[in-house]
Amino acid sequence: MKILTGAQIRELDKYTIEHEPIASIDLMERAARAITAAIQQQWPQGTPVVVFAGPGNNGGDALAVSRMLAEKGYSVDAYLFNVHGHLSDECAKNRDRLISEGLIHRFTEVSNNFDPPKLTEQTLIVDGLFGSGLNKPLEGGFASLVKYINQSPARVVSIDIPSGMMTEDNAAVPTMAIVRADVTLTLQMKKLAMLFADCQQYLGVVRVLDIRLSKEYIKSIPSPYSTVEADLVRQMMLHRDDFAHKGMMGNALLIAGSEGMAGAAVLATRACLRSGVGKVTTLTPRCNYAIMQMSVPEAIVHPDSENYYSEAISTEEYNAVGIGPGLGRDEGSALALMSQLQQTQCPVVLDADALNMLGSHGMWISQLPDNMIMTPHPRELDRLAGTASRSDGERLAVARDMAENLRAYIMLKGHYTALCMPDGSVMFNTTGNSGMATAGSGDVLTGIITGLLARGYSRKNACIVGMYLHGLAGDIAAQRMGKESLVASDIIAALPEAFKAMY
């Protein structure tokens, strides 16, 4: 599913109006009916409602919702902020209609002084101040109003997007200048900012309301952003031939583990085996040899001569290599890593300490071969980039630029893991849950992707299928035992069921 920018969404509205065809005011009426129905589903008729409407089309939506809620028997107080003496045409029409019908409890048009209403725990605030068309942070009276809303005990439902929030990056927006909603009723599709962790504090529960904007236009308009859905993953799945043998199913190499971190090597290896690969060899320090042999009897163990990763090995017989889980940051390991990358011809996945070692040797980044797959979490990406991003939106832009410049696949891990690809496109994963925020979860992901690559998946497809199955296995595990007690081994245990669900 595509994710559009704020500018593209405005173009989508315009296209729908011109080609459905439908009048702008009638499209607003359609949106308001969907919003009103969603509010009715969650808040009973006796709930006192206070509506804050801005001067633009978001305010027009809010005024239309005020009228419809009043028609349904709700007691509604609506405040229209017209401080500059100019309303959008649709907002003005909805103001006039609201006044003429006379059903609303109280309507106040604010042009100068504002006497704020009392907001209690029983009050429902409908936030319709500003929508996706906002292009600068709120200040002055509007910023003060947002602060008043956020300090109140009332529940808040925001129309389309919490007022004050930008649809893409919010690095420059003061935290106190964004409404903190309990529910966000967004229209037609999620906005990019809704996929970022640092924006969740403002969004509450996000519900997407279908207001029948042009599917033809959505299909035709180019966008670098999209989400990964189950149907796409099913199309990418490779099927095992009935006459297959292990030699046909790929040979994977993992370089993982250090003294005290044998578990990372174990988890990555187990996950790699569960991904359907024919054979897995794990290169790990000699101190982990016995642990690996006992923990993963299906794997081949290649012990390093030292108690750290000390020397690159030939990869001619392998179809894919995964490097990094629990590897440590010994300087000898860093030198071995660069030597390994320079001589390895098959697809490579870099994770964890492999990324940290690259981050501590900044000049090495530009020497990486094309088509590397890297799976950093946010802080690891900051180390790779050599700078700390101010927001998740800014960090995504850094990862996207890095993927293009390095010709790499960069999987920025998070609740909505973002796969940034060499062509500049970004795909957000839609599976997974907070129970997966546990040690070893990333090692499991590395094992899965490495196994899929060895199995014969392209780099792009291995990344997409890998992150989706990883999250799906986490969801299955959480469904079985809850999120609080989830550990990485539970994700591996649920992988067979996740694979089965995709065939």
Side-chain angles (χ1 to χ4, degrees):
M1 181 181 295
K2 289 181 183 177
I3 300 168
L4 304 183
T5 65
Q8 288 176 318
I9 290 168
R10 289 189 290 279
E11 288 299 315
L12 173 59
D13 286 343
K14 183 179 177 181
Y15 185 93
T16 302
I17 290 166
E18 292 175 353
H19 291 80
E20 186 171 331
I22 183 173
S24 178
I25 191 68
D26 293 330
L27 182 59
M28 185 173 287
E29 195 79 356
R30 182 191 293 174
R33 283 196 296 270
I35 295 163
T36 301
I39 291 172
Q40 281 187 279
Q41 289 172 10
Q42 193 160 348
W43 286 278
Q45 192 180 80
T47 305
V49 179
V50 173
V51 176
F52 294 123
N57 282 357
N58 195 252
D61 289 333
L63 295 178
V65 169
S66 300
R67 167 171 44 83
M68 293 178 187
L69 287 173
E71 289 170 353
K72 301 293 184 182
Y74 288 79
S75 177
V76 181
D77 291 351
Y79 294 83
L80 170 60
F81 292 85
N82 186 12
V83 295
H84 298 298
H86 176 74
L87 303 175
S88 73
D89 290 344
E90 288 73 16
C91 185
K93 289 176 183 176
N94 270 305
R95 175 198 59 186
D96 296 344
R97 187 171 178 184
L98 181 66
I99 294 171
S100 65
E101 288 200 1
L103 295 175
I104 193 171
H105 177 254
R106 181 182 294 112
F107 172 76
T108 305
E109 186 165 346
V110 180
S111 58
N112 193 355
N113 295 323
F114 170 53
D115 184 18
K118 184 178 180 181
L119 303 173
T120 70
E121 292 180 357
Q122 286 72 43
T123 305
L124 173 65
I125 295 172
V126 176
D127 160 36
L129 291 170
F130 297 95
S132 59
L134 189 68
N135 57 19
K136 63 180 181 179
L138 298 181
E139 54 188 18
F142 282 117
S144 297
L145 176 57
V146 168
K147 185 176 181 180
Y148 180 70
I149 292 171
N150 290 342
Q151 289 178 341
S152 79
R155 293 158 294 175
V156 181
V157 57
S158 287
I159 294 175
D160 202 29
I161 192 168
S163 292
M165 180 182 285
M166 306 297 175
T167 53
E168 282 90 47
D169 183 26
N170 286 273
V173 182
T175 57
M176 292 304 294
I178 304 176
V179 167
R180 294 177 183 267
D182 296 286
V183 176
T184 299
L185 301 175
T186 197
L187 303 177
Q188 198 63 45
M189 63 184 66
K190 286 185 177 180
K191 282 59 181 174
L192 184 62
M194 295 176 179
L195 304 179
F196 298 145
D198 58 3
C199 290
Q200 301 312 304
Q201 59 184 312
Y202 309 109
L203 295 166
V205 177
V206 178
R207 289 187 57 189
V208 180
L209 304 182
D210 183 3
I211 60 169
R212 305 196 305 280
L213 297 180
S214 173
K215 289 182 170 58
E216 176 188 5
Y217 187 77
I218 294 171
K219 186 176 180 179
S220 66
I221 189 170
S223 173
Y225 306 110
S226 61
T227 57
V228 178
E229 308 296 338
D231 287 346
L232 174 65
V233 176
R234 286 194 180 95
Q235 292 171 20
M236 293 179 173
M237 299 298 290
L238 297 182
H239 293 264
R240 184 178 292 255
D241 188 273
D242 288 343
F243 289 86
H245 56 77
K246 66 181 180 182
M248 297 169 58
M249 301 307 295
N251 191 3
L253 171 66
L254 290 168
I255 301 174
S258 58
E259 190 169 9
M261 294 292 288
V266 170
L267 290 167
T269 305
R270 285 178 174 169
C272 192
L273 285 161
R274 285 292 188 190
S275 67
V277 68
K279 291 191 292 183
V280 179
T281 298
T282 301
L283 171 60
T284 194
R286 62 186 181 185
C287 57
N288 293 335
Y289 181 76
I291 296 171
M292 285 294 300
Q293 289 283 48
M294 289 186 290
S295 301
V296 199
E298 299 92 343
I300 301 164
V301 182
H302 187 304
D304 196 292
S305 59
E306 302 291 340
N307 275 341
Y308 61 91
Y309 173 44
S310 67
E311 187 176 6
I313 67 168
S314 172
T315 57
E316 285 187 12
E317 64 181 285
Y318 300 106
N319 303 109
V321 180
I323 312 175
L327 202 58
R329 304 186 197 180
D330 189 279
E331 185 60 23
S333 297
L335 295 172
L337 170 65
M338 281 309 293
S339 176
Q340 190 75 67
L341 294 179
Q342 288 166 0
Q343 65 180 265
T344 300
Q345 300 300 313
C346 62
V348 177
V349 183
L350 298 177
D351 181 39
D353 283 332
L355 299 175
N356 290 325
M357 286 187 280
L358 287 174
S360 63
H361 296 77
M363 296 300 293
W364 290 1
I365 301 292
S366 60
Q367 300 175 36
L368 291 176
D370 288 353
N371 294 312
M372 288 284 113
I373 295 172
M374 294 184 268
T375 61
H377 59 55
R379 269 197 275 178
E380 287 169 345
L381 183 82
D382 288 350
R383 292 189 198 109
L384 285 171
T387 182
S389 295
R390 296 174 299 164
S391 69
D392 286 345
E394 188 174 273
R395 185 172 289 110
L396 178 67
V398 169
R400 190 180 170 203
D401 287 345
M402 189 180 294
E404 287 189 272
N405 293 334
L406 298 178
R407 304 296 301 164
Y409 294 84
I410 297 179
M411 191 177 293
L412 180 56
K413 293 185 286 194
H415 181 76
Y416 293 104
T417 291
L419 174 62
C420 303
M421 290 179 276
D423 64 359
S425 62
V426 180
M427 299 192 77
F428 291 92
N429 190 39
T430 53
T431 57
N433 61 84
S434 59
M436 298 172 71
T438 183
S441 180
D443 304 328
V444 172
L445 177 63
T446 298
I448 294 170
I449 296 172
T450 305
L452 293 174
L453 288 166
R455 170 78 173 78
Y457 287 78
S458 68
R459 289 172 175 84
K460 176 181 176 179
N461 289 10
C463 289
I464 294 170
V465 172
M467 67 182 182
Y468 189 90
L469 288 173
H470 177 251
L472 181 58
D475 289 339
I476 292 168
Q479 192 172 24
R480 289 175 181 166
M481 58 191 70
K483 298 176 184 178
E484 292 301 325
S485 300
L486 208 65
V487 295
S489 295
D490 299 326
I491 303 172
I492 299 171
L495 268 175
E497 195 171 336
F499 269 90
K500 188 177 179 181
M502 289 296 102
Y503 282 111

